[in-house]
Amino acid sequence: MKFEKPATRNPIDNLTVVGKPIHRIDGELKTTGHAKYAYEWHDPDFRYAYGYPVGSTIAKGRIKTMDTSAAEKAEGVIAVVTTLDVGERDLGAKNTANLFGGEKVQHYHQAIAVVVAETFEAARGAASLIKVDYEVEKGVFDLSAARSDAKKPKAEGGTEPDSAVGDFAGAFAQAAVRLDQSYTTPDQAHSMMEPFASIAAWNDDALTVWTSSQMIDWWRTDLATTLGIDKEKIHLMSPFIGGGFGGKLFLRADAVLAAYGAKAAKLPVKVALPRPFLVNNSTHRPATIQRIRIGAGRDGKITAIGHESWSGDLPNGQPETAVMQTRLLYAGENRMTAMRLATLDLPEGNSMRAPGEAPGLMALEIAIDEMAEKLGLDPIEFRRINDTQVDPEKPERPFSHRNLIGCMKLGAEKFGWKDRGKPATRREGSLMIGIGMAAAFRNNLVLPSGARVKLDAKGDVTVETDMTDIGTGSYTIIAQTAAEMMGVPMEKVGVHLGDSRFPISSGSGGQFGANSSTSGVYAACVKLREAVAQKLGFNSENVVFEGGQVRSGNRSVPLSEAAGEDGLVGEDTMEWGDLTKTHQQSTFGAHFVEVGVDVATGEIRLRRMLAVCAAGRILNPITARSQVIGAMTMGAGLALSEELSVDKRRGFFVNHDLAGYEVAVHADIPHQEVIFMDETDPMSSPMKAKGIGELGLCGVSAAIANAVYNATGIRVRDYPVTLDKLIGELPDVA
């Protein structure tokens, strides 16, 4: 099926099941420990061995020799496989850094060996016995120092690194009111609960892998390339995932090491990367340096807006696209954005929840707050004045649906924005109280997505798709979609995900998963409905599926009867036409935060948080709310504590565990409220929905930074907003 025209009324609009607050159908499995994650799969017929990785202790250079003799002689060791044994391999299409193979070292903790033993402890102990002789090369690890050498990157996916409309320089120079400020965001880590983990088992030349992957087909394809085998020889499964945040979008070293280890040991091998490897062996959100310039008239209308961003990555890497939201969020006739990419020899920079918009809005929404103050305008009023219903760079291209103003207005009413007051004027005992807000923006992305839907003689419906559930609720909203389309209750629907034997889906990432995958299920259900109607001799145009019955005119037949003994199957893939080209599809919101800052210590405490979101039809308010409050929590961590510390001499992230990399915890998070605007977007899909899992993050950190400014009068432009950046400017304690 191809989605080429705006959706009209369809069975989803019945909202019998879709849109209802249904608890996760996989919830009981997870809370009782019966959901099997990658490392936990167990076949009683298998004798498992355990692999432990060895990582490079240099950041750049080559391996001259490796002495594995002591490790090979260690008790319980079955096999040792080194990167030199494997030799140079083809790089997967989605990988920037080499995962395993060859003498070249591109970054610290690059996998250079795997030790396979009878027990995990034996493998770990033997891994420490491997001796490596390196030829060290000088690396570049400091973005600030490399900024002057940064280059214009190549266009990726049709996105140009630079954009220009009108005469930005001239308009900015002539503007009555101007802002020119720089902002920084640090390197950040995904820090998901479940590590990268895989089990690999060979059967002759066929490979089975149980892993933790957000994108089944991407992993399978790149694993085949890396191993040099036929993709059809690989069966990859990932039915449950303990968090990913973009870190598991692309093939990782655990799957590769498990495959090579299993081949050498002639046994199924389990490999879980140790926690420090999750930071230095995998990908991260790269640091940015951002310069924002805004010019406006005294009436508050933006006449010039420019946003430049510098980030770094390995050779052939990609920039952090921190300017993208600035191309779309606010009006202004004269515009400029530019991205520059420095070559750094740190671990690979790549996607982390809301890449581009998350760090971009951390800067832009502080700048908007600052500009409003310069103009003497309320920050919400300034945003309202510069709202736009068309793409500012392509005015002929309207937004499919945009209600940013509605989100801000409702949020202001609910949160008590009118009581905000001027900076550093509200006190409660030792606490300085402040309120801040920021706009939320994230593009609505869609990818082709396929599914297979089966109907059996009992009237039960089974959905099969290689879609994944990274904690987002995919199992549940897919079941809701199938139940709505086939007219059956939820208990009559089974969902099987994360298996490469199933039709290829969108996968999970970029907040494209929910809308794309349910649209794929919708398409497959349309095929199944047509098969049922044909079997019963009904006209598929006016047939009704409801209450387990199939009805046309005065005739009604049980759905199970239509299936017959052999059952029926519908399979299809949702593909996308040009609606995303003719109309800009985005999601919008407004974040509001209240903080208390201790006047003596500078300690920041969040007191209240509110997100108002406009993201099309909400398929399930429970799972959607979970996504948003989780994103708000992540935004709190990014604002106040999360920062990977770079050893600029040796080129690695020092705080590479959860003791040193400080994510937000329960004690940091106050009451969180989420409000969804009642809307649909027929341009987006037959579901009339959009993604929401990343919208909830975009803007949160800036809202916190703005609240801290309102509380203290101190403007922090370098994240995270830690007390050391406040304490020297706090007022004297009375």
Side-chain angles (χ1 to χ4, degrees):
M1 179 182 289
K2 194 167 188 178
F3 187 70
E4 299 180 285
K5 298 179 180 179
T8 55
R9 182 166 179 81
N10 64 56
I12 296 298
D13 294 315
N14 293 330
L15 299 181
T16 306
V17 185
V18 168
K20 303 301 182 187
I22 296 172
H23 289 281
R24 297 169 189 251
I25 61 174
D26 55 326
E28 184 176 342
L29 290 175
K30 291 179 175 178
T31 55
T32 59
H34 288 89
K36 296 294 188 292
Y37 292 85
Y39 200 79
E40 300 171 333
W41 279 91
H42 181 74
D43 186 324
D45 295 328
F46 282 179
R47 173 194 163 203
Y48 290 98
Y50 297 83
Y52 195 87
V54 178
S56 168
T57 57
I58 68 168
K60 187 178 182 181
R62 71 177 189 90
I63 298 171
K64 294 196 290 188
T65 62
M66 296 183 72
D67 182 358
T68 62
S69 57
E72 290 168 351
K73 295 173 184 176
E75 184 177 353
V77 170
I78 301 169
V80 177
V81 182
T82 75
T83 186
L84 300 180
D85 297 333
V86 169
E88 289 190 18
R89 315 298 302 176
D90 288 336
L91 191 66
K94 304 291 184 183
N95 295 126
T96 298
N98 176 37
L99 299 181
F100 191 61
E103 64 180 20
K104 185 177 180 180
V105 175
Q106 291 179 285
H107 62 87
Y108 185 83
H109 263 175
Q110 178 177 316
I112 60 172
V114 60
V115 177
V116 181
E118 296 283 355
T119 65
F120 171 82
E121 292 79 9
R124 181 178 59 184
S128 67
L129 302 177
I130 294 177
K131 298 178 180 179
V132 186
D133 185 18
Y134 299 98
E135 182 179 293
V136 181
E137 297 178 25
K138 184 178 181 180
V140 179
F141 312 118
D142 186 343
L143 176 61
S144 296
R147 176 181 177 179
S148 59
D149 296 323
K151 302 293 191 296
K152 180 180 177 179
K154 62 183 179 181
E156 290 285 345
T159 299
E160 294 292 335
D162 295 359
S163 68
V165 176
D167 177 12
F168 166 75
F172 181 73
Q174 295 172 15
V177 181
R178 294 190 297 270
L179 172 83
D180 185 349
Q181 288 290 355
S182 293
Y183 308 84
T184 64
T185 62
D187 296 289
Q188 297 161 347
H190 300 89
S191 300
M192 53 278 184
M193 186 178 295
E194 181 198 24
F196 299 104
S198 294
I199 303 174
W202 291 87
N203 184 6
D204 296 326
D205 61 348
L207 174 64
T208 301
V209 179
W210 295 265
T211 192
S212 187
S213 161
Q214 294 177 226
M215 307 289 289
I216 298 297
D217 192 61
W218 288 6
W219 277 54
R220 185 184 183 216
T221 301
D222 282 355
L223 182 58
T225 299
T226 304
L227 297 177
I229 65 175
D230 185 348
K231 173 181 173 179
E232 298 305 315
K233 295 287 188 180
I234 298 176
H235 177 200
L236 192 142
M237 289 173 281
S238 186
F240 296 102
I241 303 166
F245 308 119
K248 297 174 182 176
L249 283 171
F250 315 114
L251 177 69
R252 301 264 45 94
D254 57 296
V256 177
L257 296 177
Y260 279 121
K263 176 70 80 172
K266 296 181 173 56
L267 289 170
V269 169
K270 295 187 174 192
V271 173
L273 298 189
R275 182 61 62 174
F277 275 61
L278 269 65
V279 174
N280 284 297
N281 177 266
S282 66
T283 62
H284 69 286
R285 193 198 305 277
T288 68
I289 301 169
Q290 302 179 51
R291 181 189 183 191
I292 296 177
R293 286 174 282 173
I294 304 173
R298 296 289 178 186
D299 59 358
K301 288 187 177 180
I302 293 174
T303 57
I305 183 166
H307 191 163
E308 299 164 272
S309 176
W310 291 261
S311 60
D313 201 0
L314 291 166
N316 301 314
Q318 301 176 21
E320 178 65 39
T321 55
V323 305
M324 298 307 292
Q325 72 290 321
T326 308
R327 297 179 180 180
L328 292 162
L329 189 49
Y330 297 114
E333 291 185 7
N334 303 284
R335 321 176 64 83
M336 177 275 291
T337 67
M339 293 182 281
R340 293 296 178 263
L341 180 63
T343 297
L344 297 180
D345 300 302
L346 292 170
E348 179 182 341
N350 216 312
S351 296
M352 180 172 158
R353 195 175 194 170
E357 284 100 326
L361 284 165
M362 290 171 80
L364 177 64
E365 286 300 286
I366 293 181
I368 292 293
D369 211 60
E370 292 191 76
M371 191 64 180
E373 185 175 48
K374 279 177 171 284
L375 288 160
L377 287 172
D378 180 281
I380 292 178
E381 177 63 11
F382 181 50
R383 290 174 172 87
R384 186 199 66 78
I385 290 171
N386 293 286
D387 188 50
T388 174
Q389 292 299 313
V390 299
D391 178 344
E393 292 189 346
K394 302 172 184 175
E396 72 281 0
R397 186 168 174 255
F399 283 93
S400 62
H401 189 80
R402 174 180 171 127
N403 192 15
L404 174 59
I405 291 177
C407 293
M408 294 191 297
K409 181 180 178 181
L410 181 58
E413 293 172 357
K414 294 287 187 181
F415 206 71
W417 179 257
K418 67 181 187 302
D419 300 325
R420 184 173 69 112
K422 293 183 178 181
T425 58
R426 291 178 60 197
R427 289 282 291 269
E428 290 183 12
S430 64
L431 293 180
M432 308 175 75
I433 309 302
I435 291 177
M437 66 82 55
F441 173 92
R442 178 71 167 131
N443 274 332
N444 179 55
L445 308 176
V446 288
L447 292 181
S449 196
R452 181 185 303 127
V453 184
K454 299 177 178 179
L455 175 66
D456 67 17
K458 296 179 181 178
D460 292 336
V461 175
T462 302
V463 182
E464 296 176 341
T465 171
D466 83 354
M467 179 58 183
T468 51
D469 191 325
I470 56 175
T472 46
S474 300
Y475 277 102
T476 307
I477 60 172
I478 284 174
Q480 287 177 266
T481 303
E484 194 76 71
M485 289 295 292
M486 300 311 300
V488 298
M490 284 284 286
E491 56 267 23
K492 296 288 283 184
V493 180
V495 179
H496 301 297
L497 302 180
D499 192 316
S500 63
R501 295 172 299 185
F502 299 155
I504 297 171
S505 72
S506 62
S508 298
Q511 79 170 23
F512 52 67
N515 189 27
S516 298
S517 67
T518 54
S519 295
V521 173
Y522 172 95
C525 285
V526 168
K527 287 282 189 182
L528 181 56
R529 285 166 63 102
E530 291 171 351
V532 169
Q534 184 178 13
K535 180 85 173 287
L536 296 175
F538 287 163
N539 182 346
S540 60
E541 294 292 323
N542 55 28
V543 68
V544 175
F545 289 71
E546 188 176 61
Q549 300 284 314
V550 187
R551 190 174 70 252
S552 181
N554 295 324
R555 185 180 168 205
S556 181
V557 179
L559 189 60
S560 57
E561 186 176 316
E565 292 185 6
D566 297 331
L568 292 173
V569 179
E571 182 173 334
D572 204 353
T573 295
M574 180 60 74
E575 298 177 341
W576 307 95
D578 293 332
L579 288 177
T580 56
K581 297 177 183 177
T582 60
H583 290 74
Q584 174 59 39
Q585 296 185 21
S586 304
T587 58
F588 298 89
H591 289 287
F592 293 81
V593 176
E594 182 181 79
V595 303
V597 181
D598 191 286
V599 70
T601 67
E603 180 186 11
I604 301 166
R605 282 294 176 187
L606 303 179
R607 290 158 58 98
R608 292 185 293 141
M609 302 179 78
L610 167 66
V612 183
C613 302
R617 171 175 283 150
I618 301 302
L619 302 178
N620 183 323
I622 289 180
T623 57
R625 179 182 181 275
S626 293
Q627 281 293 285
V628 175
I629 64 172
M632 293 163 73
T633 302
M634 177 177 277
L638 300 184
L640 299 176
S641 61
E642 294 189 38
E643 177 180 17
L644 286 171
S645 297
V646 182
D647 185 322
K648 295 176 183 177
R649 300 162 303 163
R650 302 192 63 187
F652 69 98
F653 298 124
V654 179
N655 53 333
H656 49 201
D657 56 32
L658 290 176
Y661 185 81
E662 297 173 338
V663 300
V665 298
H666 285 294
D668 297 317
I669 303 303
H671 174 71
Q672 296 170 312
E673 185 178 0
V674 180
I675 300 173
F676 298 117
M677 302 297 280
D678 186 7
E679 64 174 42
T680 61
D681 190 343
M683 293 278 188
S684 68
S685 74
M687 305 299 294
K688 304 174 185 173
K690 298 175 183 175
I692 201 166
E694 297 184 341
L695 178 68
L697 171 63
C698 296
V700 175
S701 300
I704 294 171
N706 291 338
V708 170
Y709 173 74
N710 182 244
T712 65
I714 302 168
R715 181 67 74 181
V716 179
R717 301 182 183 93
D718 301 304
Y719 289 95
V721 184
T722 46
L723 61 85
D724 57 295
K725 296 168 185 173
L726 301 176
I727 199 163
E729 298 182 52
L730 290 172
D732 293 334
V733 179

